Amino acid sequence: IDGRRLTGLTVSQIDKLLNVPKSGSVTLTVIRDINVLQVELQPTTHDLAILEPGILPDNVAYLRVRKMTTGIALEARRQLHAWEASGVKSVVLDLRDNGGGVFIEGLRLAESFLKNQQTLVHIVREGSAAQSFLSGNDDPLKMRVAVLSNARTASAAEIAIAALVDA
């Protein structure tokens, strides 16, 4: 990156090298066998909707969650409560192609539908005591929920699905 070798650098250090002001650029030199490729990158911002809400026929809500980012469960919960207050009784939670993200956000999303003290997930690691995560939700949504997933649903999104399926 800009002539600096990356050998021995941490991900954090590499990230700092790539993090340049919007008006700047960074040059990557890639050496592969005897081929040398140089690419100049300029930073840009892409707004990608992480949460896509909608209403389907028969007053069924549809909520697509593309990634489990920090704060996504709270944002989703706000939308779900607004729908519930307007009379929506069912929601399709679309987690297809959601590669996961922040573990606790998956738990928080599932918790929206689960009552206080309901088990969200048990984690068992060899050589360690089992760890349980319980819902602390005193006001769970009363909506019926259907969850969509596919082969590219992973990580924190899978945790949310498992908690909802086991409830």
Side-chain angles (χ1 to χ4, degrees), residues 8 20 28 62 69 102 109 121 126 151 159:
V20 296
L28 300 181
Y62 171 84
T69 58
V102 181
L109 181 61
V121 69
E126 188 176 332
I159 294 294

Side-chain angles (χ1 to χ4, degrees), residues 4-23:
R4 182 161 178 200
R5 296 181 62 84
L6 305 182
T7 305
L9 296 181
T10 66
V11 172
S12 175
Q13 291 169 321
I14 293 170
D15 186 52
K16 285 180 185 174
L17 292 173
L18 290 172
N19 196 0
V20 296
K22 278 191 172 193
S23 60

Side-chain angles (χ1 to χ4, degrees), residues 122-166:
H122 291 292
I123 297 176
V124 180
R125 290 190 180 115
E126 188 176 332
S128 298
Q131 187 178 14
S132 295
F133 291 85
L134 304 176
S135 173
N137 188 359
D138 290 326
D139 185 28
L141 293 159
K142 291 154 187 70
M143 306 167 99
R144 293 183 328 183
V145 61
V147 182
L148 303 178
S149 70
N150 62 14
R152 290 178 301 277
T153 303
S155 182
E158 289 177 304
I159 294 294
I161 293 168
L164 291 169
V165 168
D166 287 346

Side-chain angles (χ1 to χ4, degrees), residues 25-66:
S25 66
V26 63
T27 301
L28 300 181
T29 304
V30 181
I31 302 170
R32 177 90 182 198
D33 297 324
I34 61 169
N35 297 317
V36 177
L37 173 68
Q38 286 199 327
V39 179
E40 185 175 335
L41 303 176
Q42 294 176 321
T44 187
T45 302
H46 297 278
D47 291 326
L48 176 64
I50 302 295
L51 199 63
E52 296 176 16
I55 297 291
L56 302 171
D58 298 323
N59 206 28
V60 173
Y62 171 84
L63 188 63
R64 180 161 189 188
V65 182
R66 291 185 172 273

